[in-house]
Amino acid sequence: PYPVQYEENADCTAGAFTKYAAQQKWLEEGDLEEALKVLEVFGDELPYGNGRGHGSGEQRMAKFRRGLNGGLTACGGFSR
């Protein structure tokens, strides 16, 4: 299992790429809403901070939005 920080970073990075894709006009109508729905549906109910899982749907959407709004620099880094 991967630490939840990896998953948070992946969701944020996905948001940053989505921002770039939108700027390039690669997205179709409804793509952003669909991405957010997927994150909401595929959240984990594992206790947050247990070092495993992906986070809840709400947490995953928040990380995605962080990258979407701020780009890759908003995702920051993390240490192992």
Side-chain angles (χ1 to χ4, degrees):
Y2 295 100
V4 72
Q5 291 88 351
Y6 291 154
E7 301 300 338
E8 290 175 341
N9 191 268
D11 290 336
C12 188
T13 301
F17 180 79
T18 301
K19 176 182 178 137
Y20 177 75
Q23 292 168 341
Q24 300 303 311
K25 310 280 191 232
W26 295 342
L27 300 182
E28 296 178 2
E29 187 175 334
D31 283 349
L32 179 57
E33 293 79 11
E34 188 175 340
L36 288 168
K37 187 65 176 172
V38 166
L39 291 169
E40 180 181 25
V41 169
F42 288 101
D44 295 329
E45 295 305 322
L46 294 171
Y48 191 71
N50 73 353
R52 298 175 52 193
H54 295 85
S56 71
E58 185 176 294
Q59 292 161 332
R60 296 192 73 193
M61 289 188 301
K63 293 296 182 178
F64 181 88
R65 284 189 180 113
R66 177 183 286 181
L68 182 66
N69 294 328
L72 195 56
T73 56
C75 298
F78 58 93
S79 58
R80 296 203 230 176

